[in-house]
Amino acid sequence: MVSERMRGLGSARSVIRELFEYGKQRAAVVGEENVFDFSLGNPSVPPPAAINEQAIRLLREQPEVIHAYTSAQGDAGARTRFADSLNRRFGTAYTGDDLYLTVGAAAALCCVFGALTCPGDEFIALAPYFPEYKVFVEGAGARLKVVPPETEHFQIDFDALESLIDEHTKGIIVNSPNNPSGVVYSRETLKRLAAVLTARSEAYGHPIYLISDEPYREIVYQGFEVPWVPSLYRDTLVCYSFSKSLSLPGERLGYVLVPPDVTDAGDVYAAVAGAGRSLGYVNAPSLFQQVTSLCCDLTADLSVYARNRDLLVTSLREMGYHVAEPGGAFYLFPRSLEPDDLAFSERAKQFDLLLVPGSGFGAPGHVRIAYCVQTEMIRRALPRFRALAESYR
Ligand code: PLP
C-alpha cells in the first residue's frame, strides 16, 4: 500500500511535460529547427557573469565551510544582504531576521501554507494561476478555492472574489507579474484588494494573509510598475525566488519574507521555520545562499524577453489573436481561436507550435506561450502562427 494522494501526484500526466516529450519526438522526424516549443518556463538567458565568478571564488577560498550546513533559516550574513537590498529598493527597514531562506519559491510557498494552515482553513487563488498552488495547499492540509478569471485584462474579478471569501479564508495568493498571463496587477487593483482583505479580516476577527508569490518581480516592461505589496497591505508574506531574475532555476534559492509588522509576525516566522523543518528542507543550498546574496542587486540580461514580448504581441495582434497586455514575466496568454483550448493546442501541433492549454491554469479558452526562447526562433515561428490563424478562417 502506498499513499493514494502521493501515487496520484507522482504518476499524473503533466500536459507541459507531454508537450515537451512530443516536441523531442517530432524534432527527430522534422528537425529541431522546425519545432517551435513554447511550453517551458526555463529562462533562456545565462546568469550574469558575476554568478559563476562568485561561485568559483567561494569554492576556492572557502572549501571547508561552503559545503557545510547553515542555520536552518539561512546564513545570517546572506539574510542581512538580502534585507539590505530590499531596504535600498523599497525604502523598508527589514533585517535578516525577517527572512527565511528556502529551496526556491516552491518551498517558500509550501513553508507558508504549512505555517498558516489550521484545521478547516482555506486559501484562494486568482485564475489564471500556477497549478502547483493546489498541490502545495492541499499538501499542507488546507483547501484551495479559485476565483474565475477576468478575461479581458486578467486583473481581478472582485465580485467573484468577494463571494468566495468567508470565515475559513486564511490567505489569498497573488502572483504578479503572472504566470501564465504575464499581466501585472496595477497599484489600483492591489489597493482595492487590500481594502477588501482589511474589511474582511476585521469582520471575521482574524487576519487574512496575502501571500505574494513573486518569482517574476524583476521581469517588468517599460510603462509598468510592480508595486511593493507589503507597503499596500500589512499582512503580506512574500515568497521570492532567484530562479527567473538570475536565471538559476536549478540552484533552488528563494526566501519567505515575514515583515515585522505582520499580525503575530514572531509566531508566523517560527511556524514558517517549523514547516521547513517538518518538510525536511534542513537549509537552503549553502553555496547559492552566498552567491545569490552577493549578486542580489543584479539580474540576468532581461532585454531579450522585452524584445521577444514586443515582437510576439505586435505580430499576434496583427494576425487577429486577442492578447491581454503583458506587463512582465515571459508569458503570453492569448485566447484560443476555438473555445476548446485543448483542441486548439492539438491543432497548433499540426503547425509544430507547442502551446500549453489554459485549462490547467484555471482559464479555459486560452493558451500559454512561454517566450523565454531565442528571438530568432520566434521570428521563424511567426508564419506558423499566421497559418494557424488562417486555418480557422
Ligand atoms: N510560482 C510561480 C508563479 C512560478 O511560475 C514558479 C516556477 O515557474 C514558481 C512559483 C516556483 O519557482 P521556483 O523555481 O523558485 O521554485
Side-chain angles (χ1 to χ4, degrees):
M1 274 285 272
V2 296
S3 152
E4 253 321 289
R5 176 171 184 271
M6 293 304 167
R7 195 191 55 76
L9 281 177
S11 49
R13 288 164 54 223
S14 149
V15 180
I16 297 181
R17 191 64 34 205
E18 274 186 6
L19 272 174
F20 179 68
E21 293 303 331
Y22 169 83
K24 280 201 299 194
Q25 284 165 18
R26 184 78 184 136
V29 179
V30 296
E32 213 170 300
E33 68 287 1
N34 294 315
V35 179
F36 304 94
D37 186 349
F38 293 99
S39 66
L40 283 186
N42 225 354
S44 57
V45 293
I51 292 284
N52 285 0
E53 285 159 16
Q54 289 290 0
I56 291 164
R57 182 185 66 76
L58 288 160
L59 289 167
R60 284 219 178 93
E61 291 176 8
Q62 305 184 10
E64 304 83 14
V65 293
I66 202 65
H67 298 303
Y69 291 123
T70 69
S71 16
Q73 67 269 43
D75 173 73
R79 285 184 289 118
T80 301
R81 284 191 284 274
F82 290 135
D84 291 347
S85 171
L86 291 173
N87 296 338
R88 280 194 296 278
R89 293 180 57 196
F90 302 115
T92 47
Y94 303 127
T95 71
D97 291 341
D98 303 323
L99 287 155
Y100 178 84
L101 308 191
T102 59
V103 184
L109 290 161
C110 288
C111 288
V112 165
F113 298 135
L116 296 181
T117 299
C118 301
D121 279 350
E122 296 176 345
F123 291 87
I124 295 179
L126 308 162
Y129 68 101
F130 182 53
E132 293 301 279
Y133 292 156
K134 187 169 160 61
V135 178
F136 300 162
V137 163
E138 291 179 355
R143 178 171 167 232
L144 185 74
K145 296 206 288 202
V146 177
V147 177
E150 177 277 283
T151 54
E152 196 52 37
H153 305 290
F154 289 118
Q155 294 285 316
I156 298 175
D157 178 343
F158 278 97
D159 290 337
L161 171 65
E162 292 239 34
S163 71
L164 283 190
I165 301 177
D166 62 24
E167 66 276 18
H168 301 293
T169 308
K170 196 50 156 302
I172 310 272
I173 312 157
V174 164
N175 169 225
S176 168
N178 184 266
N179 174 10
S181 71
V183 163
V184 171
Y185 290 147
S186 67
R187 184 172 285 273
E188 289 63 43
T189 295
L190 291 169
K191 276 187 174 165
R192 191 168 165 197
L193 176 63
V196 168
L197 298 186
T198 303
R200 293 300 189 99
S201 297
E202 274 166 20
Y204 302 131
H206 65 78
I208 297 178
Y209 292 96
L210 194 164
I211 296 133
S212 187
D213 178 27
E214 309 188 347
Y216 304 96
R217 184 167 69 214
E218 271 56 69
I219 309 178
V220 56
Y221 302 116
Q222 220 178 351
F224 290 88
E225 175 208 19
V226 178
W228 179 239
V229 183
S231 72
L232 300 176
Y233 184 64
R234 195 186 65 166
D235 283 320
T236 298
L237 305 175
V238 175
C239 295
Y240 187 73
S241 165
F242 294 94
S243 293
K244 317 287 171 166
S245 60
L246 285 172
S247 293
L248 295 173
E251 303 298 354
R252 315 303 304 133
L253 216 293
Y255 58 72
V256 180
L257 169 73
V258 183
D261 50 351
V262 156
T263 306
D264 302 326
D267 287 345
V268 173
Y269 188 95
V272 166
R277 180 179 172 192
S278 83
L279 289 162
Y281 288 132
V282 183
N283 61 244
S286 168
L287 174 60
F288 275 83
Q289 290 187 33
Q290 297 305 323
V291 172
T292 53
S293 65
L294 290 164
C295 299
C296 62
D297 289 331
L298 304 176
T299 64
D301 176 8
L302 306 175
S303 63
V304 179
Y305 303 140
R307 210 164 49 233
N308 291 356
R309 166 204 185 266
D310 293 349
L311 177 62
L312 263 174
V313 171
T314 314
S315 309
L316 291 184
R317 282 185 178 157
E318 188 257 317
M319 292 173 202
Y321 290 91
H322 179 283
V323 187
E325 193 69 14
F330 38 54
Y331 305 105
L332 285 192
F333 204 51
R335 278 185 198 156
S336 49
L337 298 177
E338 59 182 300
D340 182 344
D341 49 299
L342 284 95
F344 179 68
S345 169
E346 278 303 312
R347 169 97 71 115
K349 274 159 102 179
Q350 293 171 15
F351 299 85
D352 288 315
L353 292 170
L354 307 189
L355 315 176
V356 183
S359 296
F361 302 98
H366 297 80
V367 284
R368 187 186 78 171
I369 300 175
Y371 59 82
C372 43
V373 296
Q374 303 301 320
T375 310
E376 171 273 333
M377 175 184 128
I378 296 178
R379 283 212 181 88
R380 287 189 295 105
L382 290 178
R384 309 295 182 106
F385 279 107
R386 188 179 295 282
L388 173 61
E390 273 163 12
S391 79
Y392 282 93
R393 294 213 176 97

